[in-house]
Amino acid sequence: MSDIELFQRFALAAAIGALVGVERHWQERDEAAGQRTAGLRTFTLVGMLGGAAGLLELALATGGGNHGLVIAGLFLGLTAAMTVFKLREAVAEQNFSVTSLVAAMLTFAMGALAILGDMRIAAAGGVTLTAVLASREALHGLMRKVTWPELRSAIVLLVMTVIVLPLVPAQPIGPFGGISPSRIWLLAILLAGISYLGYLAARVFGATHGALIAGAIGGLLSSTATTVTNARQSISETATPASATLLAAATLAAGAVAHVRTAGLAVLLVPALAPTVIPALAAAALVMALAALLVGRTTSQGGSRTKDVNPFDLSQILQTALLLGACGFAARAASAWFGEKGLFIASALSALADVDATTVAVGSMVPSGLATATAATAILIGASANTLAKTAYAVILGSRRFGLVVAGGSLGAVAAGSVAYWMAG
């Protein structure tokens, strides 16, 4: 390591301390001289202390000394001194907070890391530390507003994603590609995430705007999962007719975005499909988007508001994931039975659970000799079948109002897409 690089690393250690010190100093800027616990100068020195410890470790390692003793000793000494100081301050001022103590420990650690480790990680750590310290009021305000169902659901979603998902077997079970337990579990995470996203959007942006925004984002992820999730919520104990209508508007918004996504995927795979695919899918998306806006605006004018509900019910999420997984398995089995001669039927069946799979499969067959017109027709059949399948899910799983609104917008979209396809042909 050159001398210039050592200077750069030590300067970064001091800069990290100064950055944290600015935030700590600003928090106590109104304190009189001598009353401030630790500010710009103190934390700059703590960062430099961590950097100096790292430099001493490098020197000792070069000379064959025991690596780590200097950093450990200085870290323990700093922690002990700061702890005694904070205890005396807490007794004198009746202010029981260890934030500055932990911040000093982390500043020392980031300073040492700037010397011995990756400078980018050290810099990112210093910025993150400062951001967390500066977010005190926002974080405290969030904890005052968050409810227990919201916190519990967030924890459950994190456990499902971080802990359980890596443990679920990925190997498919059964014929025709089988059913993958990890894919089913991932689908359950997606369903729960969409439900939670919709809940948060409604709280942040209001019932109407939040529902439409959440629906549009859900359409980017999975319009089928969004439809099923909203249908389940429309029959929950706390659902109202107005909330069911807003959920239907969100579902139509998801469908509109899904049509645009399908068109983009198809054209990306086979640009020659654009003249046939884009007009039909654009017409369907336009009808769904207009229906979503009209339904959402009408509900907003009625002055109804959705009630706060539990972000998601885990048992219902798992049941729905298993249902969609079974539909996907049935579609793959039917596709295997029909083979290439039944491409249109296979496309329709495959799209019952996921239109993207149909689009990718058909698009990949064009370079192998499949006619462009045939591929475009198969993709549009898949998109229509997926829309009709989501309509069925809405009618069967959702409330009567939810099912009627979704069915009206979806059937109108299929009709508009069919007319546009006929005119383009």
Side-chain angles (χ1 to χ4, degrees), residues 208-231:
T208 302
H209 294 91
L212 294 178
I213 292 173
I217 297 175
L220 291 173
L221 301 174
S222 173
S223 59
T224 304
T226 302
T227 301
V228 174
T229 299
N230 290 346

Side-chain angles (χ1 to χ4, degrees), residues 34-422:
Q35 298 297 316
R36 190 177 297 109
T37 303
L40 176 59
R41 291 185 302 169
T42 301
F43 275 93
T44 302
L45 292 174
V46 171
M48 294 177 65
L49 181 63
L55 291 174
L56 289 173
E57 287 290 352
L58 285 178
L60 290 175
T62 303
N66 293 324
H67 197 58
L69 293 180
V70 173
I71 288 181
L74 290 177
F75 181 78
L76 292 175
L78 172 67
T79 303
M82 290 289 293
T83 301
V84 172
F85 182 81
K86 290 298 295 182
L87 284 174
R88 296 186 63 180
E89 181 188 48
V91 173
E93 300 181 2
Q94 294 296 299
N95 180 18
F96 300 96
S97 173
V98 295
T99 300
S100 293
L101 171 61
V102 177
M105 295 165 64
L106 284 172
T107 301
F108 178 93
M110 291 299 106
L113 181 62
I115 301 296
L116 300 174
D118 192 320
M119 294 177 65
R120 294 170 298 180
I121 296 178
V127 172
T128 302
L129 171 59
T130 306
V132 171
L133 292 172
S135 302
R136 172 186 173 183
E137 297 301 327
L139 293 175
H140 287 186
L142 175 63
M143 297 316 302
R144 284 191 294 267
K145 294 179 181 179
V146 72
T147 64
W148 169 242
E150 294 168 355
L151 180 60
R152 179 190 60 199
S153 298
I155 294 173
V156 169
L157 187 57
L158 287 173
V159 171
M160 292 172 63
T161 306
V162 179
I163 298 178
V164 180
L165 180 60
L167 302 178
V168 178
Q171 190 67 25
I173 301 173
F176 308 113
I179 296 178
S180 172
S182 64
R183 186 176 180 83
I184 297 295
W185 191 256
L186 187 61
L187 182 58
I189 294 174
L190 180 62
L191 289 167
I194 290 174
S195 179
Y196 200 86
L197 176 65
Y199 179 90
L200 293 180
R203 288 203 60 181
V204 174
F205 299 103
T208 302
H209 294 91
L212 294 178
I213 292 173
I217 297 175
L220 291 173
L221 301 174
S222 173
S223 59
T224 304
T226 302
T227 301
V228 174
T229 299
N230 290 346
R232 289 286 193 181
Q233 290 183 356
S234 71
I235 59 173
S236 64
E237 294 180 357
T238 55
T240 64
S243 67
T245 305
L246 281 177
L247 288 170
T251 301
L252 292 174
V257 172
H259 278 85
V260 175
R261 185 193 63 195
T262 301
L265 180 61
V267 174
L268 181 64
L269 292 172
V270 185
L273 295 174
T276 306
V277 169
I278 289 181
L281 293 179
L286 181 61
V287 169
M288 279 192 158
L290 291 176
L293 291 174
L294 179 62
V295 171
R297 187 178 66 175
T298 303
T299 306
S300 176
Q301 290 175 348
S304 298
R305 294 173 59 91
T306 51
K307 297 181 180 180
D308 289 340
V309 296
N310 186 32
F312 60 83
D313 186 298
L314 184 57
S315 61
Q316 289 188 353
I317 290 293
L318 294 176
Q319 292 173 14
T320 304
L322 289 173
L323 172 63
L324 292 179
C327 289
F329 174 77
R332 289 192 298 274
S335 299
W337 289 333
F338 287 118
E340 294 183 0
K341 295 182 179 180
L343 177 62
F344 295 158
I345 299 176
S347 296
L349 291 173
S350 298
L352 294 179
D354 184 12
V355 70
D356 288 345
T358 299
T359 304
V360 173
V362 173
S364 63
M365 295 173 66
V366 173
S368 302
L370 181 66
T372 303
T374 303
T377 302
I379 291 174
L380 293 177
I381 288 176
S384 298
N386 182 255
T387 301
L388 295 175
K390 289 183 291 188
T391 302
Y393 298 150
V395 172
I396 295 172
L397 301 176
S399 66
R400 183 173 181 272
R401 181 186 291 263
F402 178 88
L404 288 176
V405 174
V406 173
S410 298
L411 294 178
V414 172
S418 299
V419 172
Y421 172 71
W422 176 75

